[in-house]
Amino acid sequence: MGLRKKVFIWSAVLLILLLFSVYFIIGSFLEHTYSHLEQDQMYQKLHQLNDVYKNSLQNLGEFTHDYAAWDDTYAYILHPGKKYEASNLVPGTFATYDVDFVVYLNAGQQIVYGKQYNPITRKLENIQSTAWIRRYHLARLMRPGEKKSGLIRSGNEIYMVSAQPILKSSEQGPSRGTLIFGKKLDDAQVRKLSKIAGFSASLSSKPKPSENASPFRVKTSNEHAIKGILILNDLNGDPAATLSVQSKRIIYQKGQQAIFAFLITLLAVGAILLLALYFALDHLVVSRIVTLIETIRYIRQSDRLSARVLARGKDEIGGLAKEINGMLSSLQAYQQQLSRQAFYDPLTHLPNRLLLMQKLDEITKKQDGHTAILFLDLDGFKEINDTYGHACGDMLLVEVGRNVLRQLEEGDLFCRLGGDEFIMLLSNWANRTELLGKVHAVIREISRPVEVESRDVTVTVSIGISLYPDNGTDPEELIQKADEAMYRAKRAGKNLYDFYAF
């Protein structure tokens, strides 16, 4: 056998071995990367589902608080009567607010009122079992400011509950009892949570105790499906329910197709062109995968979901890159959604206290110019809630927010602190006269009648004003001083404004 033939044969063998080595190394790394990305995506879904569940509990807690911290409820628990029940505890209340049962306990922890809603008959029935009240330590008289929210098990049913002390509308004690609202965590409720989360989840049976303390668990069922499990504990810290999410392993399957195509390409090119075409393979295939790997590694290490992999070509590798980019876009959108939930009020969509404090912190760090901090509190808002109901009050808050936003200029900010309290930051004013013009405009805008549920509703506003840097440079201090000025305006007759005085 001639030397040239031996060199050719050995070169071919070495090249094939090299190509197979590259294939197995890169293929193994990619398979691990695909699995890691799928697991990250599933963990993101589980965290999103958990956030939706917690938000549902929070909404239940806010609804419970509206009833618990109310003078009418306070009077009812001391002197129970049918008038309060006929006005506030009707089947429509349960259906509208998605509540399945209500329990009122007096200071002696005796049940004053306990009803559950039957969605079939659309009537209220006596609550069947109350043993869970003591099992989950809800029979204890709570202090003002204390609350308990979470899951309970009653027989074979699972409920989300919120328990809060019964106080006056000012949220002052002493507590006269405990109010408990609950709604069933069943397949119908999970479908509602799934709709909010944007993907399908299912309710499983009671989970078994596990040494794994994490409530988030991901496992690969097979090469076609991946499953995520969210374990929800009850108020005693015991596993009570399991929410499952199952997805197709699209990234993994695309990756397997790309790896298989890569192998065929390597074999064909290696058999036909040997070393001469190796560099072409490096340009057409290997370099693209290496770039994809490096980009994926960079994205994973830097946690920059805005970055994208290079998606060129219409082959399997290009398709895989597009799938990864699609997944990154979904994760980025979810991250932005969480950011908006963190910085904006869910009812009025106005900036919340967290965004306000960031803005104030930026203003005080720049140490440039003057800013007016206006603390706004609606006059007569409680009477509207008591007269027309909390739904009407919520609609009024939304309309007030929209009307005031029309008065803002670029650089100004209007935030909702909670309830009927708002904060406004005004920076575009040259002197006190111009500032007062803006304040009067806000008062006029809020005092306009607002149509809510086919009726004209009117509120006024009391405003307290502190000035940066005249009244201080600490954000919390400026808000506190504006709050004090607002209370002086209220005491002076309401529908007024007042500046913080040294």
Side-chain angles (χ1 to χ4, degrees), residues 256-274:
Q256 291 298 312
Q257 294 175 8
I259 293 173
F260 180 76
F262 179 39
L263 173 61
I264 298 301
T265 304
L266 285 178
L267 290 175
V269 174
I272 298 172
L273 301 177
L274 295 177

PDB file of all heavy atoms in Angstrom, residues 256-274:
ATOM      1  N   GLN A 256     -32.415  17.888  19.457  1.00  0.00           N
ATOM      2  CA  GLN A 256     -32.080  16.555  18.966  1.00  0.00           C
ATOM      3  C   GLN A 256     -32.065  16.519  17.436  1.00  0.00           C
ATOM      4  O   GLN A 256     -31.196  15.881  16.826  1.00  0.00           O
ATOM      5  CB  GLN A 256     -33.111  15.538  19.500  1.00  0.00           C
ATOM      6  CG  GLN A 256     -33.023  15.308  21.003  1.00  0.00           C
ATOM      7  CD  GLN A 256     -31.675  14.742  21.410  1.00  0.00           C
ATOM      8  OE1 GLN A 256     -31.181  13.778  20.815  1.00  0.00           O
ATOM      9  NE2 GLN A 256     -31.055  15.360  22.406  1.00  0.00           N
ATOM     10  N   GLN A 257     -33.011  17.217  16.820  1.00  0.00           N
ATOM     11  CA  GLN A 257     -33.016  17.290  15.363  1.00  0.00           C
ATOM     12  C   GLN A 257     -31.764  17.990  14.850  1.00  0.00           C
ATOM     13  O   GLN A 257     -31.158  17.555  13.846  1.00  0.00           O
ATOM     14  CB  GLN A 257     -34.266  18.037  14.882  1.00  0.00           C
ATOM     15  CG  GLN A 257     -35.570  17.306  15.180  1.00  0.00           C
ATOM     16  CD  GLN A 257     -36.788  18.128  14.798  1.00  0.00           C
ATOM     17  OE1 GLN A 257     -36.664  19.193  14.182  1.00  0.00           O
ATOM     18  NE2 GLN A 257     -37.962  17.642  15.170  1.00  0.00           N
ATOM     19  N   ALA A 258     -31.370  19.075  15.547  1.00  0.00           N
ATOM     20  CA  ALA A 258     -30.176  19.801  15.121  1.00  0.00           C
ATOM     21  C   ALA A 258     -28.928  18.936  15.282  1.00  0.00           C
ATOM     22  O   ALA A 258     -28.040  18.933  14.416  1.00  0.00           O
ATOM     23  CB  ALA A 258     -30.043  21.092  15.930  1.00  0.00           C
ATOM     24  N   ILE A 259     -28.833  18.200  16.390  1.00  0.00           N
ATOM     25  CA  ILE A 259     -27.669  17.339  16.614  1.00  0.00           C
ATOM     26  C   ILE A 259     -27.617  16.217  15.575  1.00  0.00           C
ATOM     27  O   ILE A 259     -26.547  15.879  15.050  1.00  0.00           O
ATOM     28  CB  ILE A 259     -27.725  16.766  18.050  1.00  0.00           C
ATOM     29  CG1 ILE A 259     -27.540  17.897  19.071  1.00  0.00           C
ATOM     30  CG2 ILE A 259     -26.633  15.717  18.250  1.00  0.00           C
ATOM     31  CD1 ILE A 259     -27.742  17.459  20.503  1.00  0.00           C
ATOM     32  N   PHE A 260     -28.783  15.649  15.296  1.00  0.00           N
ATOM     33  CA  PHE A 260     -28.811  14.577  14.293  1.00  0.00           C
ATOM     34  C   PHE A 260     -28.412  15.113  12.909  1.00  0.00           C
ATOM     35  O   PHE A 260     -27.628  14.489  12.181  1.00  0.00           O
ATOM     36  CB  PHE A 260     -30.216  13.957  14.234  1.00  0.00           C
ATOM     37  CG  PHE A 260     -30.355  12.855  13.237  1.00  0.00           C
ATOM     38  CD1 PHE A 260     -29.844  11.587  13.495  1.00  0.00           C
ATOM     39  CD2 PHE A 260     -30.982  13.078  12.017  1.00  0.00           C
ATOM     40  CE1 PHE A 260     -29.963  10.564  12.568  1.00  0.00           C
ATOM     41  CE2 PHE A 260     -31.099  12.064  11.079  1.00  0.00           C
ATOM     42  CZ  PHE A 260     -30.591  10.805  11.361  1.00  0.00           C
ATOM     43  N   ALA A 261     -28.941  16.289  12.562  1.00  0.00           N
ATOM     44  CA  ALA A 261     -28.579  16.890  11.279  1.00  0.00           C
ATOM     45  C   ALA A 261     -27.087  17.207  11.242  1.00  0.00           C
ATOM     46  O   ALA A 261     -26.420  17.042  10.203  1.00  0.00           O
ATOM     47  CB  ALA A 261     -29.401  18.149  11.047  1.00  0.00           C
ATOM     48  N   PHE A 262     -26.562  17.645  12.367  1.00  0.00           N
ATOM     49  CA  PHE A 262     -25.128  17.951  12.455  1.00  0.00           C
ATOM     50  C   PHE A 262     -24.292  16.691  12.223  1.00  0.00           C
ATOM     51  O   PHE A 262     -23.276  16.705  11.506  1.00  0.00           O
ATOM     52  CB  PHE A 262     -24.857  18.562  13.826  1.00  0.00           C
ATOM     53  CG  PHE A 262     -23.434  18.915  14.088  1.00  0.00           C
ATOM     54  CD1 PHE A 262     -22.640  19.473  13.088  1.00  0.00           C
ATOM     55  CD2 PHE A 262     -22.866  18.695  15.327  1.00  0.00           C
ATOM     56  CE1 PHE A 262     -21.326  19.792  13.315  1.00  0.00           C
ATOM     57  CE2 PHE A 262     -21.550  19.021  15.569  1.00  0.00           C
ATOM     58  CZ  PHE A 262     -20.770  19.574  14.559  1.00  0.00           C
ATOM     59  N   LEU A 263     -24.719  15.581  12.799  1.00  0.00           N
ATOM     60  CA  LEU A 263     -23.979  14.330  12.625  1.00  0.00           C
ATOM     61  C   LEU A 263     -23.979  13.897  11.160  1.00  0.00           C
ATOM     62  O   LEU A 263     -22.928  13.537  10.605  1.00  0.00           O
ATOM     63  CB  LEU A 263     -24.607  13.242  13.497  1.00  0.00           C
ATOM     64  CG  LEU A 263     -24.045  11.821  13.301  1.00  0.00           C
ATOM     65  CD1 LEU A 263     -22.556  11.769  13.629  1.00  0.00           C
ATOM     66  CD2 LEU A 263     -24.830  10.829  14.134  1.00  0.00           C
ATOM     67  N   ILE A 264     -25.141  13.932  10.527  1.00  0.00           N
ATOM     68  CA  ILE A 264     -25.222  13.541   9.128  1.00  0.00           C
ATOM     69  C   ILE A 264     -24.335  14.443   8.264  1.00  0.00           C
ATOM     70  O   ILE A 264     -23.632  13.979   7.352  1.00  0.00           O
ATOM     71  CB  ILE A 264     -26.678  13.581   8.639  1.00  0.00           C
ATOM     72  CG1 ILE A 264     -27.531  12.569   9.435  1.00  0.00           C
ATOM     73  CG2 ILE A 264     -26.751  13.301   7.151  1.00  0.00           C
ATOM     74  CD1 ILE A 264     -27.061  11.140   9.333  1.00  0.00           C
ATOM     75  N   THR A 265     -24.373  15.717   8.566  1.00  0.00           N
ATOM     76  CA  THR A 265     -23.560  16.667   7.803  1.00  0.00           C
ATOM     77  C   THR A 265     -22.076  16.377   7.970  1.00  0.00           C
ATOM     78  O   THR A 265     -21.301  16.372   6.995  1.00  0.00           O
ATOM     79  CB  THR A 265     -23.875  18.104   8.244  1.00  0.00           C
ATOM     80  OG1 THR A 265     -25.264  18.350   8.100  1.00  0.00           O
ATOM     81  CG2 THR A 265     -23.101  19.114   7.416  1.00  0.00           C
ATOM     82  N   LEU A 266     -21.679  16.119   9.201  1.00  0.00           N
ATOM     83  CA  LEU A 266     -20.265  15.817   9.460  1.00  0.00           C
ATOM     84  C   LEU A 266     -19.822  14.554   8.718  1.00  0.00           C
ATOM     85  O   LEU A 266     -18.737  14.519   8.110  1.00  0.00           O
ATOM     86  CB  LEU A 266     -20.035  15.638  10.959  1.00  0.00           C
ATOM     87  CG  LEU A 266     -20.023  16.909  11.814  1.00  0.00           C
ATOM     88  CD1 LEU A 266     -19.843  16.539  13.274  1.00  0.00           C
ATOM     89  CD2 LEU A 266     -18.916  17.850  11.378  1.00  0.00           C
ATOM     90  N   LEU A 267     -20.645  13.517   8.751  1.00  0.00           N
ATOM     91  CA  LEU A 267     -20.281  12.267   8.089  1.00  0.00           C
ATOM     92  C   LEU A 267     -20.195  12.452   6.572  1.00  0.00           C
ATOM     93  O   LEU A 267     -19.254  11.963   5.918  1.00  0.00           O
ATOM     94  CB  LEU A 267     -21.293  11.178   8.437  1.00  0.00           C
ATOM     95  CG  LEU A 267     -21.267  10.666   9.893  1.00  0.00           C
ATOM     96  CD1 LEU A 267     -22.387   9.685  10.118  1.00  0.00           C
ATOM     97  CD2 LEU A 267     -19.920  10.040  10.215  1.00  0.00           C
ATOM     98  N   ALA A 268     -21.178  13.137   6.007  1.00  0.00           N
ATOM     99  CA  ALA A 268     -21.192  13.331   4.560  1.00  0.00           C
ATOM    100  C   ALA A 268     -20.000  14.161   4.095  1.00  0.00           C
ATOM    101  O   ALA A 268     -19.291  13.784   3.142  1.00  0.00           O
ATOM    102  CB  ALA A 268     -22.499  13.997   4.148  1.00  0.00           C
ATOM    103  N   VAL A 269     -19.789  15.281   4.792  1.00  0.00           N
ATOM    104  CA  VAL A 269     -18.673  16.146   4.395  1.00  0.00           C
ATOM    105  C   VAL A 269     -17.333  15.463   4.648  1.00  0.00           C
ATOM    106  O   VAL A 269     -16.394  15.562   3.834  1.00  0.00           O
ATOM    107  CB  VAL A 269     -18.761  17.497   5.138  1.00  0.00           C
ATOM    108  CG1 VAL A 269     -17.535  18.354   4.859  1.00  0.00           C
ATOM    109  CG2 VAL A 269     -20.024  18.236   4.724  1.00  0.00           C
ATOM    110  N   GLY A 270     -17.232  14.758   5.775  1.00  0.00           N
ATOM    111  CA  GLY A 270     -15.970  14.072   6.075  1.00  0.00           C
ATOM    112  C   GLY A 270     -15.666  12.968   5.081  1.00  0.00           C
ATOM    113  O   GLY A 270     -14.496  12.771   4.719  1.00  0.00           O
ATOM    114  N   ALA A 271     -16.709  12.220   4.633  1.00  0.00           N
ATOM    115  CA  ALA A 271     -16.490  11.130   3.685  1.00  0.00           C
ATOM    116  C   ALA A 271     -16.134  11.648   2.306  1.00  0.00           C
ATOM    117  O   ALA A 271     -15.376  11.024   1.569  1.00  0.00           O
ATOM    118  CB  ALA A 271     -17.731  10.255   3.625  1.00  0.00           C
ATOM    119  N   ILE A 272     -16.691  12.783   1.901  1.00  0.00           N
ATOM    120  CA  ILE A 272     -16.495  13.281   0.541  1.00  0.00           C
ATOM    121  C   ILE A 272     -15.270  14.197   0.431  1.00  0.00           C
ATOM    122  O   ILE A 272     -14.458  14.085  -0.478  1.00  0.00           O
ATOM    123  CB  ILE A 272     -17.761  14.018   0.052  1.00  0.00           C
ATOM    124  CG1 ILE A 272     -18.939  13.048   0.026  1.00  0.00           C
ATOM    125  CG2 ILE A 272     -17.563  14.626  -1.322  1.00  0.00           C
ATOM    126  CD1 ILE A 272     -20.274  13.711  -0.249  1.00  0.00           C
ATOM    127  N   LEU A 273     -15.132  15.127   1.325  1.00  0.00           N
ATOM    128  CA  LEU A 273     -14.109  16.158   1.173  1.00  0.00           C
ATOM    129  C   LEU A 273     -12.933  16.031   2.123  1.00  0.00           C
ATOM    130  O   LEU A 273     -11.947  16.755   1.954  1.00  0.00           O
ATOM    131  CB  LEU A 273     -14.756  17.544   1.347  1.00  0.00           C
ATOM    132  CG  LEU A 273     -15.884  17.870   0.360  1.00  0.00           C
ATOM    133  CD1 LEU A 273     -16.483  19.217   0.689  1.00  0.00           C
ATOM    134  CD2 LEU A 273     -15.384  17.837  -1.075  1.00  0.00           C
ATOM    135  N   LEU A 274     -13.053  15.198   3.165  1.00  0.00           N
ATOM    136  CA  LEU A 274     -12.000  15.001   4.138  1.00  0.00           C
ATOM    137  C   LEU A 274     -11.536  16.337   4.711  1.00  0.00           C
ATOM    138  O   LEU A 274     -12.344  17.170   5.104  1.00  0.00           O
ATOM    139  CB  LEU A 274     -10.842  14.224   3.517  1.00  0.00           C
ATOM    140  CG  LEU A 274     -11.173  12.775   3.103  1.00  0.00           C
ATOM    141  CD1 LEU A 274      -9.959  12.136   2.435  1.00  0.00           C
ATOM    142  CD2 LEU A 274     -11.612  11.948   4.289  1.00  0.00           C
TER     143      LEU A 274
END
